[in-house]
Amino acid sequence: MVILKNGTLADLAAIVDAAAENASAIEQLSSQGHELSLADAYTVQQQSVARRLQRGEQQVGIKMGFTSRAKMIQMGVSDMIWGPLTDAMAIEDGAELDASRFIHPRVEPEIAFLLKKPLTGKVSLAEAMSAVEAVAPALEVIDSRYRNFKFSLQDVIADNCSSSGFTVGAWQKSNVDIGNLGMVMEFDGAPVQIGSSAAILGNPWRSLTAAARLAAEAETELQAGWIVLAGASTAAEALLPGVHVKLHTQQLGSAEFNVGEQV
Ligand code: OOG
Ligand code: MG
């Protein structure tokens, strides 16, 4: 049963959107007494992203979340989630991140796919691979709008899966074997997270087939030209003012950004 305290799903979408816009933390929807189904949570997500699009942002892809055990354990959830990425979230490789735009940002190492064909439904690994133009190392900046970065599965879905920024390194040919690549995320040259791309569902390509399945369930498709983030291979690390963040991967190159001094 859906229990909605004071208002509609659209009101909740306005609340999470405003929290992101103003970089101000809110109570979890679940602790405010809102009992959302997963479908309701995705409706809130969609309506909050619609507000961004109304302000002129463009959708440039989607991100997958909780595709590794490391992330599920860190956040205490065990189901895959997904949500849209917009152009306003993109951080140029090597650029400076304005940390004042965020509440309590964290960063995590990922793999990105660039689609050259639309993808939806139950697709084989070979079909998924043939829809991809290029692959790249990526850093995702997540910033839960909930106090203390704590949430239920419905809360985090409604909050567009904590999406707030992403950097994609130089695109590489999609025939690079990404099944088991070493990934080292450094802060000022010192490793803070070390893992393998195999931590992402055993192979990051599986995250793309899962995304295609989720798109079909939502009666939509992943579009040509979109970026798909496969999900983090390790736990996320809290960003610090002034820090230089760099992800090194075996074979696939690197991605990096600097955090501004202003918090
Ligand atoms: C939710 C987003 C999860 C990932 O890569 O697993 C995610 C969160 O951890 O706040 O982006
Ligand atoms: Mg992520």
Side-chain angles (χ1 to χ4, degrees), residues 26-252:
I26 54 173
E27 283 301 319
Q28 293 175 53
L29 304 180
S30 55
S31 19
Q32 291 180 41
H34 301 292
E35 276 185 36
L36 303 182
S37 66
L38 291 178
D40 290 335
Y42 276 110
T43 300
V44 174
Q45 178 192 103
Q46 197 220 323
Q47 293 187 357
S48 79
V49 174
R51 298 173 70 92
R52 285 175 172 266
L53 302 183
Q54 271 158 21
R55 291 195 294 270
E57 293 181 32
Q58 305 267 347
Q59 186 172 353
V60 295
I62 64 106
K63 56 89 64 82
M64 295 291 288
F66 305 134
T67 50
S68 68
R69 294 281 305 150
K71 281 290 301 184
M72 292 187 219
I73 291 166
Q74 184 181 32
M75 303 318 297
V77 296
S78 55
D79 283 296
M80 250 188 275
I81 58 175
W82 75 315
L85 298 171
T86 72
D87 56 351
M89 299 174 188
I91 305 153
E92 283 292 315
D93 192 22
E96 182 165 301
L97 183 84
D98 174 8
S100 67
R101 280 174 40 214
F102 304 105
I103 301 164
H104 39 207
R106 297 179 179 179
V107 62
E108 53 192 26
E110 306 222 1
I111 300 280
F113 298 103
L114 179 62
L115 297 184
K116 62 179 174 195
K117 288 190 215 154
L119 207 54
T120 189
K122 213 167 170 283
V123 297
S124 65
L125 282 179
E127 282 165 331
M129 285 176 181
S130 71
V132 167
E133 173 76 31
V135 293
L139 288 164
E140 186 185 17
V141 177
I142 50 172
D143 190 33
S144 175
R145 269 51 73 162
Y146 304 114
R147 208 153 282 156
N148 303 322
F149 226 114
K150 291 253 165 56
F151 43 68
S152 70
L153 187 61
Q154 284 87 342
D155 287 327
V156 66
I157 291 167
D159 181 31
N160 195 19
C161 312
S162 311
S163 304
S164 59
F166 65 94
T167 296
V168 178
W171 291 108
Q172 310 290 325
K173 288 206 171 65
S174 61
N175 60 7
V176 177
D177 183 355
I178 56 167
N180 185 10
L181 298 180
M183 299 174 74
V184 180
M185 189 169 73
E186 293 177 352
F187 278 11
D188 292 332
V192 287
Q193 288 290 341
I194 301 176
S196 160
S197 60
I200 306 164
L201 295 174
N203 186 329
W205 285 106
R206 292 210 183 101
S207 181
L208 184 58
T209 60
R213 184 175 44 73
L214 288 171
E217 283 167 13
E219 294 176 354
T220 176
E221 63 177 23
L222 309 176
Q223 293 178 20
W226 274 10
I227 291 167
V228 175
L229 289 184
S233 58
T234 72
E237 281 292 320
L239 285 176
L240 305 168
V243 84
H244 175 64
V245 182
K246 185 160 186 173
L247 167 64
H248 295 274
T249 65
Q250 229 179 331
Q251 319 267 2
L252 209 58

